[in-house]
Amino acid sequence: MEHALNIPEIRMIIFKPQSQSTLTRLALVSRSFSNSALDILYDVCALDDLLQVLPRDLWRIDENSSKFTFIRPLQTKDWLGRFTHYSPRVKTLLISFSRLTETILSLIALSAPSPLLPSLKTLNVINMGSLSARISFWTYIPMFIPRGHPIESIHLSCFYFSQNIPSSAELELLEAAGLDLLTKNAPSVREFRLWANPSHQVFPEILRGALERWQWLQSLTLLGISVSLDGVLVLSNLRSLSTLDFTMPEWAPEDGRLASGFPVLETLSVDASVAACISLLQAITSPNFRNFTWKSPSDTALSMFDALVNILAPEAICNLSLSVTFHSNTDHVPIIESDLSCLHKFVNMERLTLTFDDGFNLNNEDLRNIIKKFPLLDQLSLGPASPSPWNVDENPSSITLDALLVIAKEFPRLKNLLLPISLSGPPPSIPGDFTSSSELISLTLDPSSDLDFSPGTCAAYLVRLFPHLRAASLARASLEEDTWVEVSRIMGHLIEARERGWKEAEMQRFREALELGSA
């Protein structure tokens, strides 16, 4: 065993699941343990946290704003020693302008070594809520990403608060200069994620100039950004792009310019009208296209979804996510038999996500119809598009706890489930000879009512139905937090007891003792 722990790969396997406090203690055991533990501790690090390894007389944390500030000038010797010991371990860096002042970046640039983080693979910049903060970041890109640095992933949150939104001309100049520098310094980027104001488009010439250098780009996410047809034409020519998520404004499908492209695309997530979406799907030539998410505008008619299905080659799709508006009505008709009857064509579907407007309620029969249509389904997520986090009675769910018993009995293949549900009334009785073959390992409930029975009863019910369950959580803060904490606590003990081979009678007594606090 002692010899095995001398192998770094084995140490990493053992150390990775450990908590931060445990890793800190492991770092004090020996030199070899220290290296492995510190590699994990500093693998993902915020810039203001990393700067705290600099000499203690150099900085302080403001008590009111919690921002990091320097209290004396930086010198070259300040970077020697501890910083050079820890910085090569950082693979993912988080820069938050809510915790750092823009002045900090200029002070670092005056004396910091280059490269600042030689092993950096992912850069995540958030809270760039002011124009000055954004200019500061673009200016100091070389400090984090020197020319030719092999960074693989860049995430930028360039959201402007309303009072700080620059004009289109200012934005165009700013993005052109920033993206130009970014693509020159980081030509090997594999993933790029940009979040900006919905009111701004990415200008085609800026997009083209940036992406033409990123020919190895595999994943592109543009959140809150509307990409014009000219921009889509640029994207379609990226030879390595396999994952794409963006918003597309309305444009005429008869335009004809988007003929074919996206040769290796596997995953597409798009917020667009039916007409624009059809034009985009018709242009995809990739034989590996498997995963499709359509975030439909609220005024889209569901009857038009048939047109999309005919373009999608549904027999090839294994992961489908639809955000469409199902409106509630008094004459409830199961959705699979009416609005989305064409879904049955997706015979190889493994993952399905459906979201609804807040007034639409599913019932147990809906759930049964959805699952039985897809024999290969192992992940199902259902729920409102924007649930209220405070008022659980606003849209009571018609799905009851009986549905979980049906899933355990009839649909054992499901492994992950997110479900709107009513927790009112006692759980249905489970037959004494019932033996569950369910493979469910993760359950997320979106309850529309408070728990009408004890946390122990809830925990025992879930553990009995799903013998492989490892996690049960809430989709939103709708129950009293302490209630679900108690459910999770008891469930954890029951899972451990079940794995030890305890009988049902023993589990029942153990559960009662847990509720009384005597176990």
Side-chain angles (χ1 to χ4, degrees), residues 309 313-320 342-351 371-377 413:
V309 172
E315 68 280 356
I317 298 295
C318 64
N319 185 356
L320 179 66
C342 52
L343 276 182
H344 74 274
K345 297 179 182 179
F346 294 88
V347 292
N348 296 318
M349 186 115 65
E350 296 177 0
R351 298 182 179 182
I371 299 176
K372 73 181 182 181
K373 293 288 184 182
F374 312 111
L376 302 182
L377 200 66
R413 183 183 173 88

Side-chain angles (χ1 to χ4, degrees), residues 6 81 143 172 186 189 205 223 238 258 281 353 355 449 471 484 498 502 518:
N6 288 330
M143 184 167 67
E172 185 169 359
V189 163
E205 60 272 19
L223 299 177
L238 292 177
L258 192 59
L281 291 172
T353 300
T355 57
S449 65
W484 198 256
R498 182 191 57 201
W502 288 24
S518 58

Side-chain angles (χ1 to χ4, degrees), residues 162-345:
S162 58
Q163 68 270 26
N164 296 318
I165 296 178
S167 67
S168 294
E170 290 176 306
L171 183 67
E172 185 169 359
L173 290 172
L174 182 61
E175 307 302 2
L179 287 174
D180 182 67
L181 180 58
L182 194 61
T183 53
K184 284 179 179 177
N185 282 25
S188 60
V189 163
R190 298 290 191 271
E191 178 189 16
F192 183 59
R193 182 182 179 92
L194 178 65
W195 180 35
N197 287 72
S199 58
H200 287 135
Q201 284 197 359
V202 173
F203 299 91
E205 60 272 19
I206 299 173
L207 191 67
R208 182 181 297 109
L211 297 179
E212 282 176 351
R213 297 192 186 95
W214 277 344
Q215 285 303 309
W216 297 109
L217 191 69
Q218 297 173 0
S219 177
L220 176 65
T221 302
L222 302 173
L223 299 177
I225 298 170
S226 184
V227 180
S228 65
L229 176 57
D230 288 333
V232 176
L233 288 168
V234 175
L235 299 178
S236 68
N237 290 321
L238 292 177
R239 314 308 295 177
S240 302
L241 191 66
S242 61
T243 301
L244 176 61
D245 184 348
F246 73 112
T247 299
M248 190 164 53
E250 182 62 64
W251 36 267
E254 62 272 9
D255 187 289
R257 285 186 289 160
L258 192 59
S260 63
F262 304 102
V264 297
L265 193 69
E266 296 179 11
T267 301
L268 173 65
S269 179
V270 61
D271 186 345
S273 67
V274 172
C277 197
I278 287 176
S279 295
L280 177 62
L281 291 172
Q282 287 175 329
I284 296 175
T285 59
S286 171
N288 300 316
F289 185 45
R290 295 289 183 272
N291 310 299
F292 177 57
T293 297
W294 180 38
K295 293 168 281 190
S296 163
S298 59
D299 58 349
T300 298
L302 283 173
S303 58
M304 298 185 70
F305 182 69
D306 278 319
L308 281 181
V309 172
N310 294 328
I311 301 297
L312 275 174
E315 68 280 356
I317 298 295
C318 64
N319 185 356
L320 179 66
S321 177
L322 300 178
S323 177
V324 292
T325 306
F326 299 96
H327 295 290
S328 58
N329 55 71
T330 54
D331 300 324
H332 186 92
V333 179
I335 58 171
I336 294 299
E337 306 303 331
S338 57
D339 292 326
L340 292 181
S341 58
C342 52
L343 276 182
H344 74 274
K345 297 179 182 179

Side-chain angles (χ1 to χ4, degrees), residues 354-365:
L354 297 176
T355 57
F356 316 98
D357 78 324
D358 286 343
F360 189 91
N361 285 326
L362 287 170
N363 61 26
N364 289 2
E365 188 61 24

Side-chain angles (χ1 to χ4, degrees), residues 393-413:
D393 297 320
E394 185 177 279
N395 298 295
S397 175
S398 298
I399 295 179
T400 63
L401 283 167
D402 299 76
L404 297 181
L405 182 57
V406 172
I407 289 171
K409 285 181 177 180
E410 301 181 22
F411 308 108
R413 183 183 173 88

Side-chain angles (χ1 to χ4, degrees), residues 438-482:
S438 173
E439 298 178 11
L440 196 75
I441 58 176
S442 177
L443 174 65
T444 302
L445 300 178
D446 185 7
S448 60
S449 65
D450 289 326
L451 203 61
D452 272 2
F453 43 93
S454 71
T457 301
C458 181
Y461 184 71
L462 295 178
V463 170
R464 179 81 188 281
L465 291 181
F466 307 116
H468 299 287
L469 192 63
R470 288 292 176 271
S473 58
L474 296 181
R476 49 179 167 155
S478 48
L479 290 180
E480 289 290 336
E481 183 177 352
D482 291 344

